[in-house]
Amino acid sequence: MALNVNIGCVANLFSRQMHFEKAGDVEHGHTHSFDHLTLLANGKLKIIVDGKESVFTAPQMIYIKAEKMHELTALEDNTVAYCIHALRIGEDVDDIVDPSMVPEGVNMQSVADDLLGCDPNIGMKYNHTSCDEIIEQNKK
């Protein structure tokens, strides 16, 4: 069983893609400081909030209340869901862009320079040295 997670963050919009490869894959219980939306794009999920179960079938938007412990379990193979919320003051607001997210016509070097703070006048604004490092650090 495998749960694949990809994180994206542009401007103040955070997105956490969860691909549940097999039925039974679990995103273990956790809470968030703010209300957020879970967009169920494919498949079927069982969500447990404060010990109570609900089942959702894609396509479906699911409201998750702040500070509520919740756990997601795939009920079908290839279930895909996205946690989406705005970043607020006090949260890490660095952009996180996986190069695979960028369509043709957008200069990836300029995106990377913006992310890494590569400005010839001020040098590096962050300690990161590559987009891959940013992505890996935010998967933890």
Side-chain angles (χ1 to χ4, degrees):
M1 292 195 275
L3 172 65
N4 296 310
V5 174
N6 292 304
I7 306 275
C9 179
V10 176
N12 75 328
L13 182 64
F14 173 88
S15 176
R16 184 172 193 269
Q17 178 192 55
M18 297 167 286
H19 177 202
F20 301 83
E21 290 184 10
K22 298 289 183 189
D25 288 350
V26 176
E27 170 64 19
H28 293 286
H30 59 279
T31 62
H32 300 276
S33 300
F34 300 97
D35 296 348
H36 80 279
L37 173 74
T38 296
L39 172 61
L40 179 56
N42 191 61
K44 195 174 206 176
L45 276 179
K46 173 177 72 175
I47 299 182
I48 300 174
V49 178
D50 285 345
K52 296 183 181 174
E53 292 183 14
S54 299
V55 174
F56 296 93
T57 302
Q60 180 67 52
M61 291 185 284
I62 305 162
Y63 173 77
I64 305 292
K65 182 78 176 137
E67 305 300 337
K68 290 289 186 176
M69 180 66 66
H70 57 285
E71 179 177 281
L72 293 72
T73 303
L75 299 178
E76 294 179 355
D77 292 353
N78 291 313
T79 294
V80 178
Y82 299 81
C83 288
I84 302 168
H85 67 84
L87 294 172
R88 274 66 167 212
I89 293 173
E91 291 185 287
D92 186 4
V93 294
D94 293 344
D95 286 347
I96 304 165
V97 178
D98 185 323
S100 68
M101 295 168 44
V102 180
E104 293 297 324
V106 175
N107 181 325
M108 190 57 211
Q109 185 60 52
S110 70
V111 171
D113 288 348
D114 288 345
L115 290 173
L116 298 173
C118 298
D119 182 329
N121 300 317
I122 62 170
M124 297 289 286
K125 123 173 122 169
Y126 304 116
N127 294 326
H128 309 297
T129 57
S130 74
C131 291
D132 290 339
E133 277 188 37
I134 296 170
I135 293 164
E136 284 305 312
Q137 286 182 346
N138 286 283
K139 285 184 176 179
K140 296 176 184 176

